[in-house]
Amino acid sequence: DEDDWRILVFSHAPIMGSQLRVLQNVHVTNGCAWLNHCSPDSRRTFFEVVKESPQIKMWCSGHFHLSHDFEDSLSRVNQCTFMQVGVIGPRSTRDHTRQTRIVRGNSRSLEIYTVNHHKRDENDNAELRLDATMDLREGTIEYVLDNEDYDQANWFSAHIPEEEDGCYLPTPDGKVACCESLDKVCWWHMNDGKVLGVHENQIVEYDEKTLSPLGIVVTKKELKNREVLVVDNSKALVLIDPMTEDMEVVHPNEDGSYWRKYQRNKQIRQEEKAREAAAKLWLERKQVSEDIQK
């Protein structure tokens, strides 16, 4: 800020800690919501850079294929405004809207607009909607939230815990959720510092520092008709069927995390495919060489 820089960052996926709306049953389940989601040593790096760099005023990302018609398609963390960017193509949208962003401004302020490609006037011009105005000098943002397009309930987002949200269990000891209350939100710390919670009839793990959702620990199907207990000074997570009294202890993974990796890391899978293709090509060339020598 000393040199009066105003930096806008663009990336495909958002960063952990951005507080943008994320779909629990898509990107959280598959562990691909954030940049470096599956890399515990580096996934918070971008957020730390934002905190230490007041000149970063905006971070724009897509990835979720969601519209801008949610309040948390824009979020404000410290001095940075995080922006969800939608899609133009009708086949790739998740909520039937086709939108892009326009940012206009100068050294004093920035205006954030949505272009509604699915709404056109008699001259076939797309509708332009003002969503927010950023005051770069005062460091404030003013949202325009009275638009009829905003739909908060159509896509239920993953819960992001907050210290004062009234859902935190400071000293869980015994039952934290029963069969009748699995749709309620609660969250707590395990003895090892890991953050778990019940949300939308599932058990979710959250990042300890940013409280961003990391992944699903127990799915709806696995949790159905079972009670959730935290016992032994928060060292053990237990599921019990109250009808049969069958008990299951949910153990952490080898790396200490609890969330299940339903989809393997995309980069690792791509590297494996590349090695397989290289090996296949080598064998084909070797066979051709041997045939020629014969």
Side-chain angles (χ1 to χ4, degrees):
D1 256 6
E2 295 179 358
D3 297 326
D4 210 28
W5 279 92
R6 305 290 188 269
I7 297 176
L8 281 66
V9 183
F10 301 84
S11 62
H12 174 78
I15 67 171
M16 180 172 288
S18 62
Q19 298 185 8
L20 291 174
R21 174 167 295 230
V22 54
L23 297 182
Q24 184 158 285
N25 292 328
V26 182
H27 300 98
V28 176
T29 298
N30 292 321
C32 61
W34 322 110
L35 287 178
N36 291 8
H37 190 134
C38 294
S39 303
D41 295 333
S42 62
R43 61 190 174 210
R44 300 191 197 104
T45 300
F46 304 103
F47 188 66
E48 294 299 324
V49 169
V50 170
K51 290 197 301 183
E52 296 170 3
S53 308
Q55 62 269 42
I56 299 178
K57 303 301 182 183
M58 183 180 294
W59 195 302
C60 312
S61 60
H63 185 51
F64 296 147
H65 292 227
L66 285 174
S67 72
H68 312 157
D69 297 344
F70 308 95
E71 289 185 15
D72 44 3
S73 66
L74 289 171
S75 67
R76 179 82 166 184
V77 182
N78 297 330
Q79 82 293 341
C80 184
T81 296
F82 291 93
M83 179 197 302
Q84 160 70 22
V85 180
V87 296
I88 300 177
R91 293 185 178 181
S92 54
T93 176
R94 294 189 187 276
D95 50 9
H96 312 296
T97 57
R98 298 186 296 116
Q99 297 174 323
T100 48
R101 297 278 195 187
I102 289 180
V103 178
R104 294 173 174 168
N106 50 44
S107 61
R108 299 181 301 276
S109 65
L110 293 175
E111 293 178 333
I112 302 171
Y113 292 87
T114 285
V115 181
N116 281 320
H117 296 281
H118 57 287
K119 289 187 176 183
R120 295 183 174 272
D121 60 21
E122 61 276 8
N123 297 317
D124 200 34
N125 295 315
E127 177 186 85
L128 189 65
R129 182 186 80 200
L130 178 64
D131 290 336
T133 301
M134 297 172 56
D135 188 319
L136 297 176
R137 292 182 173 178
E138 297 296 327
T140 59
I141 183 169
E142 181 178 352
Y143 298 99
V144 181
L145 301 176
D146 58 352
N147 194 286
E148 62 182 10
D149 291 337
Y150 284 118
D151 181 2
Q152 303 305 313
N154 187 34
W155 286 92
F156 199 65
S157 67
H159 177 69
I160 298 178
E162 297 179 8
E163 292 184 2
E164 305 298 329
D165 61 5
C167 303
Y168 181 63
L169 306 177
T171 54
D173 184 19
K175 188 186 302 182
V176 297
C178 61
C179 303
E180 293 78 21
S181 63
L182 290 175
D183 59 339
K184 302 294 178 63
V185 176
C186 64
W187 59 284
W188 63 91
H189 281 82
M190 297 297 290
N191 183 270
D192 58 4
K194 296 297 186 291
V195 181
L196 304 181
V198 176
H199 180 237
E200 206 182 15
N201 300 290
Q202 301 176 99
I203 298 179
V204 182
E205 181 173 2
Y206 302 93
D207 179 67
E208 304 101 290
K209 291 188 177 180
T210 66
L211 296 181
S212 300
L214 284 175
I216 305 299
V217 180
V218 182
T219 65
K220 290 181 181 180
K221 183 178 180 180
E222 296 167 334
L223 198 56
K224 186 177 181 180
N225 297 325
R226 297 209 277 185
E227 296 177 341
V228 182
L229 290 81
V230 179
V231 300
D232 191 22
N233 294 319
S234 299
K235 294 178 182 177
L237 176 66
V238 182
L239 308 178
I240 293 183
D241 186 324
M243 299 297 293
T244 64
E245 296 187 352
D246 288 340
M247 181 187 74
E248 177 187 351
V249 177
V250 180
H251 297 284
N253 303 312
E254 292 183 359
D255 63 1
S257 66
Y258 283 83
W259 62 284
R260 306 310 181 202
K261 280 64 173 179
Y262 294 100
Q263 186 181 73
R264 298 179 63 241
N265 184 277
K266 185 176 181 180
Q267 181 178 346
I268 293 176
R269 287 187 286 122
Q270 289 176 335
E271 291 173 351
E272 288 176 349
K273 289 182 179 180
R275 285 192 292 269
E276 291 170 359
K280 183 178 179 180
L281 180 61
W282 183 88
L283 288 171
E284 290 174 350
R285 288 176 176 174
K286 186 174 185 297
Q287 184 63 48
V288 170
S289 177
E290 290 176 352
D291 291 343
I292 292 174
Q293 291 176 5
K294 291 179 182 179

